[in-house]
């Protein structure tokens, strides 16, 4: 999230508010990506039959309850009611009149009015096209536990619970490919919807992905444990797609987010994943009349969802920006022409900085700060792996993305496991448990990191721990890691050492070897674990063809080896044309 900017901040993709990078396909090619009683929405009081140039969207905010009089005033003053959320006192109005907002601010009972865009409402809003339903690729059997899952001990938590199917998780994003072989077993179509443009669209398939981002996020939360592809943090829970991104640009405007949060509350989502910021403003400032209305409308929707039992978890953003010391915004408005403006900490990145929302920073390799991750003392709550995360892509495919977008679903999955293990738990209690179970990470040698080991500006309370979150303790064993980079040249062999000490006796029959190799075309590579006595255990032997990167945990029967001593990860490149590095590796005894 916070990426109006992915193009400007990380050169990763379209200037939309998605908090992730362009994915990489297993075949090495980049896929096409889009230029990024209970109060349900009431039927519109009036509706434009056809689109008109110059039509803009507004939030008209009043006291919660019957909005009949205010909806009539919208119509009388040159507007139409596109949708209405009476329980939170928010109307989404459209008008082509330049005086609509100022006129409505004078209507009795109206508290705030604000434009949600600096661009026209697309014609698609009045007759939305259904997203594509992509043809599905099949994947051979094989479902290794990947490094990000072992890093947060999700694989160990599964021995306690894989998650309850009664726990619903909402993926508020670009949509989800519900036909994907790794998502279909856990997909809940009955509670899926499109909220693009700010009104629920319950047609079958309206929730499908208009990019690739939401499908990737969904896999990290709850890809099925079915022997194929990947496993999500909580592979037993149910996921629903709430598409809040509009097609063609993947913008997440305020009315879309409001619709999504109200839907989450009404449909019993225990937790929602929000890997975006609310377009078009990277930061919404309360001294701006339009942005003040956006803050109020989205805040009310979040509070409504939480009052119904739903916890919102959101990405911190990808600009390596200190959210606790805001000075400038150069990326807004991203739906027209961004300008540089001076801002203060009163300006909010929403939804991530709204009260009650859990804000997630991204770890890079191990417990480092991902270079792109935003930070801020008192802003960041927890951290999770967000670099080179391998997950599901539309069409039955898989690929790698990086971003705080990728860290957030790890936390959402842990929250879903907490809810599964603790029926009846409240959002506030899940928030507290996420904080108390996180493993502390001390500040690195970086002057921007402030605070204590227990809570600091880079990692908040620390990296989430799924095993502790579900009430268990890690099994006995020691962990050793080498995070130094070792370049892998063409037709060369390189070794990275780890010195093990303090372990009694031999290594276990289930020695865990976590490998993170960044390399194009892994079919070139042979990867061996070399024991202290020189014995060789091959963990990867030129498999994978043109797939990029090895990010996986291997299990080796090393019970005949003395544990203490220097172990090595040996990588042999057997062809020309592709190079890379050992980024990190680890041993768990």
């Amino acid at each position: 999230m916070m990426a109006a900017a992915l193009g400007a901040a990380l050169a990763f993709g379209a200037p939309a508010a998605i908090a992730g990078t362009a994915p990489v396909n297993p075949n090495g090619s980049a896929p096409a990506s889009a230029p990024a009683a209970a109060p349900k929405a009431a039927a519109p009081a009036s509706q434009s039959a056809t689109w008109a140039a110059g039509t803009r969207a507004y939030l008209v905010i009043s006291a919660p309850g019957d909005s009949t009089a205010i909806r009539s005033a919208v119509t009388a003053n040159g507007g139409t009611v596109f949708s209405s959320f009476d329980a939170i006192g928010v109307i989404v109005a459209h008008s082509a009149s330049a005086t609509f907002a100022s006129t409505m601010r004078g209507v009795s009972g109206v508290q705030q009015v604000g434009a949600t865009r600096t661009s026209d409402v697309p014609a698609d809003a009045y007759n939305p096209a259904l997203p594509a339903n992509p043809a599905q690729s099949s994947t051979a059997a094989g479902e290794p536990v990947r490094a990000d899952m072992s890093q947060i001990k999700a694989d160990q938590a599964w021995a306690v619970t894989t998650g309850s199917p009664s726990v619903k998780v909402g993926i508020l994003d670009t949509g989800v490919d519900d036909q994907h072989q790794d998502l279909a077993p856990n997909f809940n179509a009955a509670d899926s919807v499109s909220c693009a443009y700010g009104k629920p669209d319950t047609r079958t398939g309206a929730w499908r992905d208009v990019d690739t981002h939401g499908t990737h996020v969904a896999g990290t939360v709850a890809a099925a444990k079915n022997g194929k592809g990947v496993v999500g943090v909580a592979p037993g829970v149910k996921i629903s797609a709430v598409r809040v991104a509009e097609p063609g640009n993947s913008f997440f405007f305020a009315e879309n987010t409001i619709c999504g949060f109200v839907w989450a509350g009404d449909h019993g989502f225990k937790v929602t994943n929000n890997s975006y910021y609310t377009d078009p403003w990277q930061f919404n400032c309360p001294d701006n009349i339009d942005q003040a209305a956006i803050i109020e409308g989205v805040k009310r929707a979040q509070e409504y969802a939480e009052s119904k039992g739903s916890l919102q978890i959101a990405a911190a953003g990808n600009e390596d920006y200190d959210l606790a010391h805001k000075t400038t915004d150069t990326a807004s408005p991203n739906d027209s022409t961004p300008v540089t403006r001076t801002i203060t900490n009163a300006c909010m990145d929403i939804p991530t900085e709204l009260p009650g929302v859990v804000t997630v920073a991204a770890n890079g390799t191990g417990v480092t700060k991902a270079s792109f991750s935003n930070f801020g003392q008192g802003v960041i709550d927890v951290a999770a792996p967000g670099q080179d995360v391998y997950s599901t892509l539309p069409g039955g495919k898989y690929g790698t993305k990086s971003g705080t977008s990728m860290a957030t679903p790890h936390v959402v999955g842990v929250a879903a496991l907490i809810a599964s293990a603790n029926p009846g738990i409240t959002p506030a209690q899940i928030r507290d448990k996420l904080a108390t179970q996180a493993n502390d990470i001390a500040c690195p040698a970086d002057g921007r990191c402030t605070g204590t080991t227990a809570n600091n500006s880079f990692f908040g309370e620390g990296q989430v721990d799924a095993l502790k979150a579900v009430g268990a303790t890690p099994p006995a064993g020691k962990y050793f890691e080498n995070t130094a980079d070792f370049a892998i040249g063409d037709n060369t062999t390189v070794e990275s050492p780890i010195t093990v000490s303090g372990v009694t006796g031999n290594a276990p029959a289930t020695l865990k070897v976590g490998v993170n190799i960044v390399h194009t075309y892994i079919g070139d590579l042979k990867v061996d674990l070399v024991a202290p006595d020189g014995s060789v255990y091959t963990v990867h032997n030129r498999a994978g063809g043109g797939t990029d990167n090895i990010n996986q945990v291997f299990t080796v029967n090393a019970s005949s080896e003395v544990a203490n001593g220097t172990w090595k990860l040996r990588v042999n490149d057997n062809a020309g044309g592709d190079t890379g590095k050992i980024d990190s590796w680890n041993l768990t005894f």
Side-chain angles (χ1 to χ4, degrees):
M1 54 113 352
M2 217 168 129
L6 285 190
L10 291 176
F12 285 155
I18 297 172
T21 72
V24 177
N25 269 347
N27 64 9
S29 63
S33 177
K40 300 176 182 175
S46 59
Q47 178 64 66
S48 298
T50 59
W51 174 83
T55 298
R56 297 294 172 90
Y58 300 87
L59 299 181
V60 179
I61 297 176
S62 63
D66 185 3
S67 65
T68 301
I70 294 174
R71 283 186 275 137
S72 296
V74 167
T75 304
N77 288 290
T80 58
V81 174
F82 188 74
S83 60
S84 180
F85 303 94
D86 286 358
I88 61 172
V90 174
I91 292 170
V92 179
H94 289 176
S95 179
S97 169
T99 61
F100 175 78
S102 58
T103 302
M104 284 300 301
R105 289 178 187 124
V107 171
S108 177
V110 172
Q111 298 172 354
Q112 296 183 65
V113 179
T116 65
R117 321 168 176 237
T118 63
S119 57
D120 288 359
V121 174
D124 186 66
Y126 299 113
N127 186 24
L130 287 174
N133 185 8
Q136 299 293 317
S137 302
S138 60
T139 299
E143 193 178 51
V145 175
R146 300 194 173 271
D148 56 324
M149 295 297 157
S150 60
Q151 189 169 319
I152 63 169
K153 300 187 180 71
D155 54 332
Q156 298 177 46
W158 299 332
V160 180
T161 179
T162 56
S164 168
S166 66
V167 172
K168 299 179 185 178
V169 177
I171 309 298
L172 276 62
D173 213 288
T174 62
V176 174
D177 180 5
D178 56 304
Q179 305 296 308
H180 194 293
Q181 61 182 355
D182 239 350
L183 300 177
N186 291 334
F187 192 80
N188 172 19
D191 292 306
S192 293
V193 71
S194 169
C195 271
Y197 311 115
K199 180 168 61 176
D201 181 351
T202 59
R203 293 176 297 164
T204 299
W207 57 72
R208 292 197 175 117
D209 210 333
V210 295
D211 189 88
T212 61
H213 192 269
T215 298
H216 193 279
V217 164
T220 299
V221 174
K225 206 170 188 293
N226 58 0
K228 300 176 182 178
V230 297
V231 188
V233 177
V237 305
K238 294 298 182 184
I239 50 174
S240 295
V242 180
R243 178 164 69 86
V244 289
E246 297 180 8
N249 53 30
S250 291
F251 283 132
F252 301 72
F253 291 105
E255 60 267 37
N256 309 3
T257 303
I258 290 167
C259 171
F261 285 163
V262 172
W263 183 272
D266 288 343
H267 289 262
F269 295 168
K270 199 65 182 176
V271 59
T272 68
N273 191 105
N274 301 272
S275 291
Y276 61 91
Y277 74 79
T278 302
D279 296 292
W281 305 100
Q282 188 173 34
F283 299 102
N284 286 272
C285 299
D287 60 355
N288 178 288
I289 197 166
D290 293 317
Q291 294 163 38
I294 290 172
I295 293 171
E296 180 65 17
V298 178
K299 177 175 175 287
R300 288 190 186 188
Q302 194 290 122
E303 290 172 345
Y304 174 77
E306 182 163 343
S307 75
K308 293 290 187 176
S310 178
L311 175 67
Q312 278 55 251
I313 300 177
N318 298 336
E319 288 74 35
D320 191 25
Y321 189 96
D322 187 350
L323 295 174
H325 296 91
K326 302 185 182 86
T327 55
T328 57
D329 175 7
T330 62
S332 307
N334 63 3
D335 66 336
S336 54
T337 304
V339 297
T340 297
R341 58 178 179 151
T342 300
I343 61 172
T344 69
N345 283 349
C347 302
M348 300 176 70
D349 176 1
I350 60 176
T352 200
E353 288 193 278
L354 289 175
V357 175
V358 175
T359 305
V360 181
N363 291 123
T365 302
V367 292
T368 61
K369 173 189 175 295
S371 61
F372 50 78
S373 182
N374 287 347
F375 57 98
Q377 184 67 41
V379 179
I380 302 301
D381 291 308
V382 290
Q387 187 166 312
D388 299 326
V389 175
Y390 188 79
S391 187
T392 47
L393 294 175
K397 299 175 183 177
Y398 300 85
T400 301
K401 287 179 181 283
S402 295
T404 53
S405 280
M406 285 61 253
T408 304
H410 288 89
V411 179
V412 168
V414 173
L417 291 179
I418 291 171
S420 299
N422 301 273
I425 193 169
T426 67
Q429 290 169 333
I430 297 175
R431 264 198 310 272
D432 290 344
K433 199 167 180 65
L434 283 171
T436 57
Q437 56 73 43
N439 293 314
D440 293 342
I441 305 174
C443 279
D446 186 327
R448 300 175 303 162
C449 188
T450 59
T452 65
T453 297
N455 192 321
N456 57 59
S457 60
F458 275 17
F459 312 110
E461 298 281 354
Q463 187 177 86
V464 291
D465 186 315
L467 186 62
K468 288 199 296 186
V470 296
T473 56
K478 292 194 173 183
Y479 179 86
F480 302 86
E481 183 176 32
N482 189 338
T483 60
D485 290 350
F486 289 81
I488 305 168
D490 286 331
N491 296 296
T492 62
T493 299
V494 62
E495 293 181 339
S496 173
I498 288 178
T499 299
V500 173
S501 62
V503 180
T504 303
N506 284 6
T510 55
L511 178 65
K512 301 295 184 184
V513 185
V515 176
N516 184 5
I517 293 174
V518 178
H519 191 285
T520 51
Y521 210 98
I522 63 173
D524 289 357
L525 302 181
K526 182 173 182 285
V527 183
D528 299 314
L529 175 68
V530 183
D533 68 356
S535 299
V536 176
Y537 299 84
T538 300
V539 297
H540 173 92
N541 193 3
R542 304 197 67 180
T547 303
D548 290 350
N549 307 333
I550 300 173
N551 192 353
Q552 188 171 336
V553 178
F554 301 94
T555 301
V556 173
N557 184 351
S559 57
S560 63
E561 306 293 341
V562 174
N564 292 334
T566 299
W567 297 73
K568 298 176 182 177
L569 189 73
R570 177 185 295 162
V571 180
N572 173 234
D573 185 294
N574 294 276
D578 293 272
T579 60
K581 65 179 179 177
I582 302 174
D583 194 54
S584 67
W585 72 289
N586 58 72
L587 293 169
T588 305
F589 288 81

